[in-house]
């Protein structure tokens, strides 16, 4: 078994999402002590955003790769393979400007690969990356109605994962963390209680 932890916050020690990904990792490690843990902090070591070489390396057959694509292919494919090898994926997803950090977008860009994680047929798109559990720790300074105005964080992630075949991601929210220390602590404790019930 492999557990993949993804962090993306750029707020250092004040990151609530990191507190929650650690709580989730501790929880799943206690249930699966034999699991291999893969820890990626894209807030501290972000993936490059896509360019033509990286896009081609991910999406084109290897026999069509340019020299630039060949040079980046191993690192690009490693991100996808790491995800596909994981049974549990824990994602720290703070809300930045009503959506996910660009670091999360850059990571998801490596996961949406035609013929690998999805395909098109006469019936429409079909996800091929099911069979793993995805837990999203969603942190927000304010409080937002799901699928409401200004909420493009969870909706984006839910739609993306459904597209690649993961139709049941779990979202655990810590909201109103910008309302002061008491609200922050209450949000963290509530989220930790939900994690403990997984």
């Amino acid at each position: 078994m492999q557990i993949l932890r993804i962090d993306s916050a750029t707020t250092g020690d004040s990151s609530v999402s990191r507190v929650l990904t650690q709580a989730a990792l501790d929880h799943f490690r206690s249930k699966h002590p034999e699991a291999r843990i893969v820890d990626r902090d894209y807030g501290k070591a972000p993936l490059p955003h896509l360019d033509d070489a990286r896009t081609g390396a991910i999406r084109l057959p290897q026999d069509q790769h340019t020299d630039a694509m060949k040079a980046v292919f191993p690192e690009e494919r490693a991100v996808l393979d790491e995800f596909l090898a994981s049974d549990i994926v824990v994602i720290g997803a703070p809300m930045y400007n009503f959506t996910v950090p660009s670091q999360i977008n850059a990571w998801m860009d490596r996961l949406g690969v035609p013929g690998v994680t999805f395909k098109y047929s006469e019936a429409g798109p079909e996800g091929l990356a099911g069979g793993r559990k995805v837990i999203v720790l969603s942190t927000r300074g304010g409080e937002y109605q799901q699928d409401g105005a200004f909420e493009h964080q969870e909706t984006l992630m839910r739609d993306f994962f459904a597209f690649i075949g993961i139709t049941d991601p779990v979202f655990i929210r810590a909201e109103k963390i910008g309302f002061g220390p008491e609200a922050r602590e209450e949000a963290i404790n509530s989220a930790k209680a939900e994690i403990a019930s997984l």
Side-chain angles (χ1 to χ4, degrees):
M1 166 173 277
Q2 179 166 293
I3 301 172
L4 173 61
R5 173 189 180 180
I6 301 292
D7 281 307
S8 62
T10 58
T11 50
D13 292 340
S14 65
S15 166
V16 172
S17 62
R18 278 198 184 84
V19 171
L20 298 183
T21 57
Q22 186 61 55
L25 189 60
D26 292 344
H27 171 74
F28 287 116
R29 186 183 280 149
S30 71
K31 294 182 81 169
H32 307 285
E34 80 292 352
R36 177 174 184 264
I37 308 299
V38 178
D39 203 335
R40 299 291 175 226
D41 192 333
Y42 294 128
K44 294 181 179 176
L47 291 165
H49 290 288
L50 293 184
D51 56 23
D52 55 349
R54 293 179 186 280
T55 299
I58 294 168
R59 293 176 174 263
L60 293 176
Q62 285 185 264
D63 62 1
Q64 296 178 27
H65 284 184
T66 64
D67 288 343
M69 293 172 193
K70 290 175 184 176
V72 298
F73 175 77
E75 64 194 74
E76 294 300 311
R77 184 63 192 223
V79 176
L80 173 61
D81 288 344
E82 191 171 79
F83 172 77
L84 293 175
S86 299
D87 303 282
I88 299 172
V89 182
V90 174
I91 305 167
M95 177 184 272
Y96 287 0
N97 299 315
F98 311 118
T99 189
V100 296
S102 63
Q103 291 86 343
I104 288 283
N105 260 326
W107 176 68
M108 291 192 305
D109 283 341
R110 272 77 177 177
L111 308 185
V113 181
V116 180
T117 58
F118 72 93
K119 67 179 181 180
Y120 291 110
S121 69
E122 291 182 4
E126 178 185 344
L128 304 174
R132 57 198 38 80
K133 195 67 177 171
V134 171
I135 315 296
V136 179
L137 290 313
S138 166
T139 59
R140 301 163 168 192
E143 185 173 25
Y144 298 85
Q145 178 183 351
Q146 308 318 309
D147 298 325
F150 301 106
E151 198 294 298
H152 310 287
Q153 173 203 32
E154 290 184 21
T155 49
L156 170 66
M157 298 190 79
R158 185 176 63 241
D159 291 348
F160 173 78
F161 284 116
F163 185 80
I164 65 170
I166 300 165
T167 58
D168 59 347
V170 174
F171 287 89
I172 295 177
R173 301 174 194 93
E175 295 196 297
K176 299 171 69 173
I177 60 177
F179 282 44
E182 290 184 8
R184 182 181 188 275
E185 193 64 24
E186 182 179 344
I188 290 172
N189 290 338
S190 177
K192 283 183 174 180
E194 287 191 64
I195 290 167
S197 71
L198 293 172

